[in-house]
Amino acid sequence: MTGDTPREVIASLRRYLEEVRETGVEGLPLAAPAPSVSVVEASSAPAASGEARETLDDIRREMGGCHRCALGAGRTNLVFGVGNPAARLMIIGEAPGRDEDFRGEPFVGEAGQLLTKIIEAMGFAREDVYICNVLKCRPPHNRDPASAEIEACSSFMLRQVMAVAPEAILALGTFAAQAILSTKEPISRLRGRFHDYHGIPLMPTFHPAFLLRNPERKRDVWDDVRQVMGLLGKEAPGKGDRR
C-alpha cells in the first residue's frame, strides 16, 4: 500500500475486514505482549500443588477421634490404613470387621490372610502396597455400610488416594466398588475391566471374604489381578522375578 493516501488505506482495511467477517470470523487476535520477568520465572517454578500435597499423616491427624457419623460411638479402634505411603498399588475394601476393629489395622482376619496371598501372588509384599477401607469404623454386626456413613467417610478415602498417588487401585467387593465409582452396578458387571478414578486405573474384583465362601470364583479374581499386574509391569509366577 506504499503511496496510498490515508483515506485509501482505511478503505482497503475496511474491505478486508468485511471479507474476513463473511467467512465467519468475529474478530482478529491481538498480538500477545511480551511476558514480564515474573511470568517467566513463575512458569519455570515447581507446581505449588506438588510442594503442598498433603500426607497420610496430615489426613489421619485431621480425622482425630472421628465422630462424623454414628459409627464412631461403637468402635474399638479407628482403622485408617496401612502400608507404603508411596505405593504403586492401592487396595481399598469396604469397612473393618471384628478383627480389624480390635487391632486397628485393615484386613487382618481370615479374609486378610487370603488378601496377603493374593498380594504375594501379584509379586508384592504386603508392606509394598497401601491398604485401606472406604469406612474407617466397623458397622455393627458387619452390616452393609449406610449411605450417610459412606458420605461422611469417603472424602477421607479419596484424600488417601491423592496422598499415595498409586499407579493402580484394586477395589474389593460390591460396596467398595459402588461407593468409589458412585454406581449401583453389581460387582459381577464392574469387575474384569479398568475404570477411571480421578485419572487412576481402578480394577474392581470380588472381596476375599466372598472367595472364602465361593472358592470357585478365585479364577475370576486371578484374571482381574493379572490385568493389574500387566499394567504395573509384573509377570505371573513362574515367568521371571516376582518382585
Side-chain angles (χ1 to χ4, degrees), residues 132-149:
C132 68
N133 289 298
V134 175
L135 298 191
K136 311 308 181 192
C137 299
R138 180 195 180 196
H141 310 294
N142 291 348
R143 63 160 172 75
D144 294 340
S147 57
E149 296 160 358

Side-chain angles (χ1 to χ4, degrees), residues 105-151:
E105 182 178 337
F107 286 95
V108 294
E110 190 176 4
Q113 295 172 20
L114 178 54
L115 177 60
T116 299
K117 293 179 180 179
I118 293 171
I119 292 169
E120 292 173 346
M122 296 178 72
F124 292 100
R126 185 179 169 102
E127 58 268 21
D128 292 334
V129 305
Y130 189 81
I131 308 172
C132 68
N133 289 298
V134 175
L135 298 191
K136 311 308 181 192
C137 299
R138 180 195 180 196
H141 310 294
N142 291 348
R143 63 160 172 75
D144 294 340
S147 57
E149 296 160 358
I150 294 172
E151 182 178 354

Side-chain angles (χ1 to χ4, degrees), residues 142-165:
N142 291 348
R143 63 160 172 75
D144 294 340
S147 57
E149 296 160 358
I150 294 172
E151 182 178 354
C153 220
S154 59
S155 63
F156 291 105
M157 179 271 299
L158 171 59
R159 289 166 61 184
Q160 285 176 292
V161 172
M162 296 297 104
V164 175

Side-chain angles (χ1 to χ4, degrees), residues 235-242:
E235 295 185 354
K239 296 184 179 181
D241 187 0
R242 293 179 58 186

Side-chain angles (χ1 to χ4, degrees), residues 76-77 79 96-105 108 138:
T76 304
N77 287 295
V79 183
R98 181 187 60 188
D99 294 328
E100 290 76 17
D101 175 65
F102 180 74
R103 291 180 52 178
E105 182 178 337
V108 294
R138 180 195 180 196

Side-chain angles (χ1 to χ4, degrees), residues 226-242:
R226 281 204 306 177
Q227 291 189 57
V228 177
M229 292 166 63
L231 181 71
L232 298 176
K234 293 285 187 177
E235 295 185 354
K239 296 184 179 181
D241 187 0
R242 293 179 58 186

